[in-house]
Amino acid sequence: MPAVARAAAILRLLSRSQAPLGVHAIARSLGLVPSTCLHILRALAVEELVSFDPETKRYALSSGIVALARGMLRRDPFSNLVQPVLDRLSGRHGVTAIGIEVTSLEHIVVVAISRPGQALRLQADVGSRYPALVSASGRCIAAFGGYPWKEIESRFRAVRWDNPPTLAEWRADVEATRLVGYAVDEGRYIAGVTVITAPVMPRGRMSHGLVVLGVSEQLRRIGHTFIGEELASEAAILSRQLEDA
């Protein structure tokens, strides 16, 4: 594993951890030699990407990570364009609205989010990463991402669901998504939660997405088709704006 990949793995591990971690815990989790792990951690600390507590001998992410993320988001046209859209969707329907970036067939990343006061609280915030093929977003990526089906199928089998569809059911959902331009996941990924996603495709291939999620009963009352078509319309506008950016 090259040094940069090791450093990235350490940063991701620390970002997922609920508490600071020691060298041996980090090395054990990532299969690294402790001395190599320590060397990388010290380099990351010098760059202010991790902090070190001399009393507990443990490491945690540092504010330098936030500075890097803010710099990226300031220069990311999608993050700037999507936030007003998310705020409108969230305020109009009382749901959580999220803007995602498709980084690969492995992961999606939350780059913007808007919540009403009484929104369903999920473990999602700017910077959160999820498996790319999960839920409604995954159906959109499979339909509009331009990836080979064999690769999609392999990744799909690793996704964890509360109520998992069969591969045949999921593929039928992907084809339906391709036809209507948005995807709906009602309780498959998380029981009792509905997720609706529309793809943002500035060059004919999904690079980002608009996501709305809420309690299934609430979204059923509003109407899946109503929200889906609204998301698809907003996503089409964003796609054109990104092409011009």
Side-chain angles (χ1 to χ4, degrees):
M1 187 187 295
V4 173
R6 291 170 181 162
I10 289 171
L11 292 173
R12 290 193 186 106
L13 177 64
L14 291 175
S15 74
R16 295 193 300 267
S17 177
Q18 298 298 313
L21 299 173
V23 173
H24 288 283
I26 295 171
R28 186 168 55 252
S29 295
L30 299 176
L32 299 176
V33 176
S35 59
T36 301
C37 186
L38 178 60
H39 176 75
I40 296 171
L41 283 164
R42 285 175 173 170
L44 292 171
V46 169
E47 298 299 327
E48 299 181 341
L49 299 178
V50 303
S51 60
F52 175 66
D53 187 331
E55 292 188 5
T56 64
K57 308 295 185 185
R58 294 185 176 187
Y59 291 85
L61 289 185
S62 183
S63 57
I65 290 287
V66 178
L68 287 176
R70 284 177 177 164
M72 184 280 292
L73 292 173
R74 281 198 304 270
R75 293 166 178 80
D76 177 31
F78 177 75
S79 299
N80 294 324
L81 289 168
V82 78
Q83 191 62 57
V85 177
L86 301 180
D87 292 341
R88 286 199 304 272
L89 290 167
S90 178
R92 185 179 301 143
H93 301 301
V95 295
T96 295
I98 297 173
I100 60 168
E101 179 180 355
V102 183
T103 61
S104 67
L105 198 52
E106 289 191 23
H107 295 105
I108 56 174
V109 178
V110 175
V111 296
I113 191 166
S114 183
R115 298 184 180 95
Q118 302 299 319
L120 176 72
R121 302 297 295 184
L122 296 176
Q123 292 297 319
D125 213 331
V126 173
S128 297
R129 298 197 322 161
Y130 299 94
L133 294 184
V134 77
S135 194
S137 301
R139 295 184 179 95
C140 286
I141 293 169
F144 304 109
Y147 296 100
W149 180 257
K150 282 190 176 180
E151 193 174 351
I152 290 171
E153 182 178 336
S154 174
R155 299 287 183 184
F156 167 79
R157 296 185 187 281
V159 177
R160 296 181 179 179
W161 312 69
D162 272 356
N163 180 24
T166 65
L167 179 61
E169 289 172 334
W170 188 76
R171 187 162 190 173
D173 289 340
V174 170
E175 292 305 316
T177 297
R178 203 188 310 274
L179 290 174
V180 300
Y182 62 88
V184 179
D185 181 311
E186 186 172 15
R188 286 287 194 184
Y189 178 47
I190 304 174
V193 174
T194 292
V195 183
I196 304 176
T197 302
V200 176
M201 304 186 291
R203 280 163 288 280
R205 178 172 174 170
M206 184 177 178
S207 61
H208 298 82
L210 286 180
V211 183
V212 159
L213 59 91
V215 175
S216 291
E217 183 180 349
Q218 175 193 10
L219 266 65
R220 206 177 297 125
R221 286 199 305 268
I222 300 170
H224 295 168
T225 301
F226 181 79
I227 295 178
E229 290 180 350
E230 183 176 12
L231 284 182
S233 176
E234 294 283 6
I237 294 170
L238 286 167
S239 297
R240 292 193 292 271
Q241 290 175 325
L242 288 175
E243 285 177 352
D244 297 334

